[in-house]
Amino acid sequence: MRAPIGHFDHADPAPERLDQLAAPVAEAVRNWNGSVPAEQIIYVDTDPEWADTAVFVQHYGQELLEQSANCVVVAGKRGGESTLVACVALSATRVDVNGVVRRQLGARKASFASMDTATGETGMEYGGITPIGLPASWPVLVDSAVVDLPYVLVGSGRRRGKLLVPGKAFAELPGAVVLEGLGVA
């Protein structure tokens, strides 16, 4: 099948490629129940050496910079309590951790979670963390610009491979909160 965005040699419905996804992502796709059918989530096979955004778009299409999103894990702290949250924003922006995220969490301080925390808590590889398959208790903050796109490229839970997901599906993820201005230029 041809991928809806980008230039990829191999593209398949994600439910047919569960073996290529990180375990929590495969489980989430297997049990998908949103208004977007799981078959519309597309797995594309990509080289793990090209997983980082700048190198990735050089190989698979410069237009993907405006159609891809990063998922970062942030820790919010208040009164000795720490809350983990996933933030999804377009790759051409940065997540407003100390403004939008901190206020949304009601935290005194917010910062990116360590790599060990992010990978340990998600069960995903660093550089491949995706909002699909995160712990059910986590809030998932999604920039409204992500939801507005027909398809968005995100990680697959591994550095090898990516998912192409209809933008509106992000608003239906467990714990999703769609916010204006989460990603800033």
Side-chain angles (χ1 to χ4, degrees), residues 22-54:
V25 180
E27 186 68 18
V29 170
R30 186 179 299 110
N31 296 314
W32 188 262
N33 64 2
S35 66
V36 172
E39 293 72 24
Q40 288 184 19
I41 300 171
I42 307 300
Y43 173 82
V44 291
D45 189 33
T46 60
D47 189 318
E49 295 299 314
W50 300 337
D52 296 319
T53 304

mmCIF file of all heavy atoms in Angstrom, residues 22-54:
data_model
loop_
_atom_site.group_PDB
_atom_site.id
_atom_site.type_symbol
_atom_site.label_atom_id
_atom_site.label_comp_id
_atom_site.label_asym_id
_atom_site.label_seq_id
_atom_site.Cartn_x
_atom_site.Cartn_y
_atom_site.Cartn_z
ATOM 1 N N ALA A 22 6.596 -1.657 19.648
ATOM 2 C CA ALA A 22 6.907 -1.916 21.051
ATOM 3 C C ALA A 22 5.670 -2.554 21.688
ATOM 4 O O ALA A 22 4.534 -2.279 21.274
ATOM 5 C CB ALA A 22 7.284 -0.614 21.753
ATOM 6 N N ALA A 23 5.865 -3.400 22.680
ATOM 7 C CA ALA A 23 4.768 -4.173 23.281
ATOM 8 C C ALA A 23 3.569 -3.323 23.703
ATOM 9 O O ALA A 23 2.434 -3.658 23.359
ATOM 10 C CB ALA A 23 5.289 -5.001 24.447
ATOM 11 N N PRO A 24 3.759 -2.201 24.420
ATOM 12 C CA PRO A 24 2.570 -1.437 24.820
ATOM 13 C C PRO A 24 1.848 -0.796 23.626
ATOM 14 O O PRO A 24 0.628 -0.622 23.655
ATOM 15 C CB PRO A 24 3.101 -0.381 25.788
ATOM 16 C CG PRO A 24 4.571 -0.353 25.602
ATOM 17 C CD PRO A 24 4.977 -1.669 25.024
ATOM 18 N N VAL A 25 2.589 -0.474 22.584
ATOM 19 C CA VAL A 25 1.983 0.112 21.384
ATOM 20 C C VAL A 25 1.181 -0.958 20.648
ATOM 21 O O VAL A 25 0.040 -0.725 20.232
ATOM 22 C CB VAL A 25 3.063 0.733 20.465
ATOM 23 C CG1 VAL A 25 2.433 1.351 19.224
ATOM 24 C CG2 VAL A 25 3.889 1.759 21.235
ATOM 25 N N ALA A 26 1.761 -2.150 20.514
ATOM 26 C CA ALA A 26 1.058 -3.257 19.863
ATOM 27 C C ALA A 26 -0.243 -3.572 20.603
ATOM 28 O O ALA A 26 -1.291 -3.784 19.983
ATOM 29 C CB ALA A 26 1.956 -4.497 19.806
ATOM 30 N N GLU A 27 -0.180 -3.569 21.925
ATOM 31 C CA GLU A 27 -1.370 -3.845 22.741
ATOM 32 C C GLU A 27 -2.452 -2.776 22.504
ATOM 33 O O GLU A 27 -3.633 -3.086 22.374
ATOM 34 C CB GLU A 27 -0.995 -3.923 24.222
ATOM 35 C CG GLU A 27 -2.119 -4.332 25.121
ATOM 36 C CD GLU A 27 -2.567 -5.775 24.921
ATOM 37 O OE1 GLU A 27 -1.823 -6.589 24.334
ATOM 38 O OE2 GLU A 27 -3.698 -6.081 25.342
ATOM 39 N N ALA A 28 -2.035 -1.519 22.444
ATOM 40 C CA ALA A 28 -2.991 -0.425 22.217
ATOM 41 C C ALA A 28 -3.626 -0.524 20.830
ATOM 42 O O ALA A 28 -4.831 -0.298 20.672
ATOM 43 C CB ALA A 28 -2.302 0.925 22.393
ATOM 44 N N VAL A 29 -2.846 -0.872 19.826
ATOM 45 C CA VAL A 29 -3.386 -1.025 18.465
ATOM 46 C C VAL A 29 -4.325 -2.229 18.420
ATOM 47 O O VAL A 29 -5.412 -2.159 17.842
ATOM 48 C CB VAL A 29 -2.249 -1.149 17.419
ATOM 49 C CG1 VAL A 29 -2.796 -1.549 16.057
ATOM 50 C CG2 VAL A 29 -1.464 0.161 17.328
ATOM 51 N N ARG A 30 -3.934 -3.313 19.050
ATOM 52 C CA ARG A 30 -4.757 -4.528 19.083
ATOM 53 C C ARG A 30 -6.129 -4.246 19.710
ATOM 54 O O ARG A 30 -7.136 -4.772 19.279
ATOM 55 C CB ARG A 30 -4.028 -5.628 19.864
ATOM 56 C CG ARG A 30 -4.710 -6.973 19.846
ATOM 57 C CD ARG A 30 -3.927 -8.051 20.622
ATOM 58 N NE ARG A 30 -2.600 -8.290 20.056
ATOM 59 C CZ ARG A 30 -1.439 -7.945 20.618
ATOM 60 N NH1 ARG A 30 -1.407 -7.346 21.787
ATOM 61 N NH2 ARG A 30 -0.287 -8.205 20.034
ATOM 62 N N ASN A 31 -6.158 -3.382 20.740
ATOM 63 C CA ASN A 31 -7.393 -3.085 21.470
ATOM 64 C C ASN A 31 -8.004 -1.737 21.096
ATOM 65 O O ASN A 31 -8.810 -1.201 21.843
ATOM 66 C CB ASN A 31 -7.126 -3.130 22.976
ATOM 67 C CG ASN A 31 -6.731 -4.507 23.423
ATOM 68 O OD1 ASN A 31 -7.356 -5.489 23.044
ATOM 69 N ND2 ASN A 31 -5.667 -4.601 24.205
ATOM 70 N N TRP A 32 -7.616 -1.206 19.960
ATOM 71 C CA TRP A 32 -8.057 0.122 19.521
ATOM 72 C C TRP A 32 -9.582 0.179 19.412
ATOM 73 O O TRP A 32 -10.206 -0.733 18.882
ATOM 74 C CB TRP A 32 -7.434 0.410 18.149
ATOM 75 C CG TRP A 32 -7.652 1.802 17.681
ATOM 76 C CD1 TRP A 32 -8.607 2.228 16.809
ATOM 77 C CD2 TRP A 32 -6.894 2.957 18.042
ATOM 78 N NE1 TRP A 32 -8.487 3.580 16.614
ATOM 79 C CE2 TRP A 32 -7.439 4.050 17.361
ATOM 80 C CE3 TRP A 32 -5.805 3.167 18.878
ATOM 81 C CZ2 TRP A 32 -6.947 5.347 17.480
ATOM 82 C CZ3 TRP A 32 -5.309 4.454 19.003
ATOM 83 C CH2 TRP A 32 -5.876 5.524 18.306
ATOM 84 N N ASN A 33 -10.189 1.261 19.909
ATOM 85 C CA ASN A 33 -11.640 1.389 19.787
ATOM 86 C C ASN A 33 -12.095 2.816 19.509
ATOM 87 O O ASN A 33 -13.214 3.180 19.828
ATOM 88 C CB ASN A 33 -12.342 0.827 21.034
ATOM 89 C CG ASN A 33 -11.994 1.613 22.286
ATOM 90 O OD1 ASN A 33 -11.271 2.599 22.249
ATOM 91 N ND2 ASN A 33 -12.516 1.166 23.415
ATOM 92 N N GLY A 34 -11.249 3.629 18.915
ATOM 93 C CA GLY A 34 -11.618 5.004 18.584
ATOM 94 C C GLY A 34 -12.495 5.067 17.344
ATOM 95 O O GLY A 34 -12.768 4.053 16.696
ATOM 96 N N SER A 35 -12.939 6.275 17.007
ATOM 97 C CA SER A 35 -13.780 6.449 15.817
ATOM 98 C C SER A 35 -12.980 6.239 14.530
ATOM 99 O O SER A 35 -13.556 5.948 13.485
ATOM 100 C CB SER A 35 -14.434 7.830 15.818
ATOM 101 O OG SER A 35 -13.459 8.850 15.681
ATOM 102 N N VAL A 36 -11.667 6.397 14.612
ATOM 103 C CA VAL A 36 -10.791 6.111 13.473
ATOM 104 C C VAL A 36 -10.483 4.617 13.522
ATOM 105 O O VAL A 36 -9.961 4.130 14.532
ATOM 106 C CB VAL A 36 -9.483 6.926 13.568
ATOM 107 C CG1 VAL A 36 -8.493 6.498 12.506
ATOM 108 C CG2 VAL A 36 -9.765 8.418 13.490
ATOM 109 N N PRO A 37 -10.793 3.858 12.484
ATOM 110 C CA PRO A 37 -10.480 2.421 12.500
ATOM 111 C C PRO A 37 -8.970 2.174 12.635
ATOM 112 O O PRO A 37 -8.157 2.918 12.080
ATOM 113 C CB PRO A 37 -10.989 1.914 11.144
ATOM 114 C CG PRO A 37 -11.946 2.963 10.674
ATOM 115 C CD PRO A 37 -11.478 4.261 11.252
ATOM 116 N N ALA A 38 -8.611 1.136 13.371
ATOM 117 C CA ALA A 38 -7.199 0.805 13.571
ATOM 118 C C ALA A 38 -6.465 0.615 12.251
ATOM 119 O O ALA A 38 -5.272 0.907 12.149
ATOM 120 C CB ALA A 38 -7.072 -0.450 14.433
ATOM 121 N N GLU A 39 -7.160 0.151 11.228
ATOM 122 C CA GLU A 39 -6.533 -0.082 9.921
ATOM 123 C C GLU A 39 -6.074 1.218 9.264
ATOM 124 O O GLU A 39 -5.287 1.197 8.325
ATOM 125 C CB GLU A 39 -7.487 -0.829 8.989
ATOM 126 C CG GLU A 39 -7.793 -2.246 9.424
ATOM 127 C CD GLU A 39 -8.698 -2.347 10.654
ATOM 128 O OE1 GLU A 39 -9.472 -1.401 10.930
ATOM 129 O OE2 GLU A 39 -8.610 -3.381 11.348
ATOM 130 N N GLN A 40 -6.565 2.368 9.746
ATOM 131 C CA GLN A 40 -6.125 3.658 9.206
ATOM 132 C C GLN A 40 -4.845 4.148 9.873
ATOM 133 O O GLN A 40 -4.266 5.142 9.462
ATOM 134 C CB GLN A 40 -7.230 4.702 9.333
ATOM 135 C CG GLN A 40 -8.366 4.459 8.366
ATOM 136 C CD GLN A 40 -9.415 5.547 8.429
ATOM 137 O OE1 GLN A 40 -9.175 6.655 8.911
ATOM 138 N NE2 GLN A 40 -10.591 5.239 7.923
ATOM 139 N N ILE A 41 -4.403 3.443 10.906
ATOM 140 C CA ILE A 41 -3.094 3.720 11.504
ATOM 141 C C ILE A 41 -2.100 2.888 10.699
ATOM 142 O O ILE A 41 -2.229 1.672 10.596
ATOM 143 C CB ILE A 41 -3.058 3.331 12.990
ATOM 144 C CG1 ILE A 41 -4.115 4.117 13.760
ATOM 145 C CG2 ILE A 41 -1.663 3.555 13.562
ATOM 146 C CD1 ILE A 41 -4.306 3.650 15.189
ATOM 147 N N ILE A 42 -1.142 3.558 10.092
ATOM 148 C CA ILE A 42 -0.231 2.914 9.148
ATOM 149 C C ILE A 42 1.168 2.797 9.753
ATOM 150 O O ILE A 42 1.693 3.757 10.314
ATOM 151 C CB ILE A 42 -0.148 3.731 7.834
ATOM 152 C CG1 ILE A 42 -1.540 3.999 7.249
ATOM 153 C CG2 ILE A 42 0.769 3.050 6.821
ATOM 154 C CD1 ILE A 42 -2.340 2.773 6.906
ATOM 155 N N TYR A 43 1.743 1.608 9.647
ATOM 156 C CA TYR A 43 3.126 1.389 10.059
ATOM 157 C C TYR A 43 4.014 1.521 8.828
ATOM 158 O O TYR A 43 3.736 0.915 7.784
ATOM 159 C CB TYR A 43 3.306 -0.008 10.667
ATOM 160 C CG TYR A 43 4.758 -0.333 10.945
ATOM 161 C CD1 TYR A 43 5.376 0.120 12.105
ATOM 162 C CD2 TYR A 43 5.520 -1.060 10.030
ATOM 163 C CE1 TYR A 43 6.703 -0.155 12.360
ATOM 164 C CE2 TYR A 43 6.858 -1.333 10.281
ATOM 165 C CZ TYR A 43 7.441 -0.876 11.442
ATOM 166 O OH TYR A 43 8.764 -1.135 11.684
ATOM 167 N N VAL A 44 5.066 2.335 8.926
ATOM 168 C CA VAL A 44 6.053 2.435 7.849
ATOM 169 C C VAL A 44 7.395 1.996 8.406
ATOM 170 O O VAL A 44 7.795 2.390 9.503
ATOM 171 C CB VAL A 44 6.126 3.860 7.244
ATOM 172 C CG1 VAL A 44 4.851 4.179 6.483
ATOM 173 C CG2 VAL A 44 6.388 4.927 8.282
ATOM 174 N N ASP A 45 8.066 1.132 7.663
ATOM 175 C CA ASP A 45 9.365 0.627 8.068
ATOM 176 C C ASP A 45 10.411 1.677 7.739
ATOM 177 O O ASP A 45 10.472 2.165 6.606
ATOM 178 C CB ASP A 45 9.665 -0.687 7.338
ATOM 179 C CG ASP A 45 10.902 -1.359 7.893
ATOM 180 O OD1 ASP A 45 11.156 -1.245 9.107
ATOM 181 O OD2 ASP A 45 11.611 -2.009 7.108
ATOM 182 N N THR A 46 11.206 2.050 8.727
ATOM 183 C CA THR A 46 12.241 3.064 8.536
ATOM 184 C C THR A 46 13.528 2.614 9.205
ATOM 185 O O THR A 46 13.514 1.792 10.119
ATOM 186 C CB THR A 46 11.801 4.421 9.142
ATOM 187 O OG1 THR A 46 11.572 4.254 10.539
ATOM 188 C CG2 THR A 46 10.544 4.945 8.460
ATOM 189 N N ASP A 47 14.618 3.185 8.772
ATOM 190 C CA ASP A 47 15.937 2.870 9.304
ATOM 191 C C ASP A 47 16.106 3.528 10.676
ATOM 192 O O ASP A 47 15.926 4.740 10.796
ATOM 193 C CB ASP A 47 16.995 3.383 8.336
ATOM 194 C CG ASP A 47 18.392 2.920 8.683
ATOM 195 O OD1 ASP A 47 18.741 2.925 9.884
ATOM 196 O OD2 ASP A 47 19.134 2.560 7.761
ATOM 197 N N PRO A 48 16.473 2.761 11.714
ATOM 198 C CA PRO A 48 16.626 3.356 13.047
ATOM 199 C C PRO A 48 17.736 4.406 13.117
ATOM 200 O O PRO A 48 17.706 5.285 13.972
ATOM 201 C CB PRO A 48 16.935 2.158 13.955
ATOM 202 C CG PRO A 48 17.356 1.057 13.053
ATOM 203 C CD PRO A 48 16.721 1.316 11.716
ATOM 204 N N GLU A 49 18.690 4.345 12.211
ATOM 205 C CA GLU A 49 19.760 5.350 12.187
ATOM 206 C C GLU A 49 19.228 6.719 11.771
ATOM 207 O O GLU A 49 19.872 7.728 12.004
ATOM 208 C CB GLU A 49 20.885 4.916 11.245
ATOM 209 C CG GLU A 49 21.610 3.669 11.703
ATOM 210 C CD GLU A 49 22.292 3.843 13.052
ATOM 211 O OE1 GLU A 49 22.960 4.865 13.269
ATOM 212 O OE2 GLU A 49 22.132 2.938 13.890
ATOM 213 N N TRP A 50 18.057 6.741 11.151
ATOM 214 C CA TRP A 50 17.464 7.988 10.668
ATOM 215 C C TRP A 50 16.251 8.386 11.500
ATOM 216 O O TRP A 50 15.386 9.126 11.039
ATOM 217 C CB TRP A 50 17.071 7.851 9.204
ATOM 218 C CG TRP A 50 18.208 7.543 8.288
ATOM 219 C CD1 TRP A 50 19.536 7.794 8.501
ATOM 220 C CD2 TRP A 50 18.133 6.934 7.003
ATOM 221 N NE1 TRP A 50 20.287 7.374 7.436
ATOM 222 C CE2 TRP A 50 19.444 6.843 6.493
ATOM 223 C CE3 TRP A 50 17.084 6.452 6.224
ATOM 224 C CZ2 TRP A 50 19.732 6.292 5.252
ATOM 225 C CZ3 TRP A 50 17.369 5.908 4.988
ATOM 226 C CH2 TRP A 50 18.677 5.832 4.513
ATOM 227 N N ALA A 51 16.167 7.912 12.739
ATOM 228 C CA ALA A 51 14.974 8.140 13.566
ATOM 229 C C ALA A 51 14.806 9.592 14.004
ATOM 230 O O ALA A 51 13.689 10.047 14.195
ATOM 231 C CB ALA A 51 15.004 7.232 14.794
ATOM 232 N N ASP A 52 15.892 10.323 14.185
ATOM 233 C CA ASP A 52 15.781 11.701 14.638
ATOM 234 C C ASP A 52 15.250 12.591 13.512
ATOM 235 O O ASP A 52 15.605 12.434 12.345
ATOM 236 C CB ASP A 52 17.122 12.205 15.150
ATOM 237 C CG ASP A 52 17.579 11.425 16.383
ATOM 238 O OD1 ASP A 52 16.720 11.141 17.244
ATOM 239 O OD2 ASP A 52 18.771 11.092 16.462
ATOM 240 N N THR A 53 14.397 13.528 13.873
ATOM 241 C CA THR A 53 13.597 14.293 12.916
ATOM 242 C C THR A 53 14.401 14.911 11.776
ATOM 243 O O THR A 53 14.033 14.747 10.611
ATOM 244 C CB THR A 53 12.799 15.388 13.657
ATOM 245 O OG1 THR A 53 12.012 14.767 14.668
ATOM 246 C CG2 THR A 53 11.893 16.142 12.707
ATOM 247 N N ALA A 54 15.471 15.633 12.067
ATOM 248 C CA ALA A 54 16.218 16.345 11.026
ATOM 249 C C ALA A 54 16.760 15.391 9.965
ATOM 250 O O ALA A 54 16.637 15.636 8.762
ATOM 251 C CB ALA A 54 17.350 17.158 11.644
#
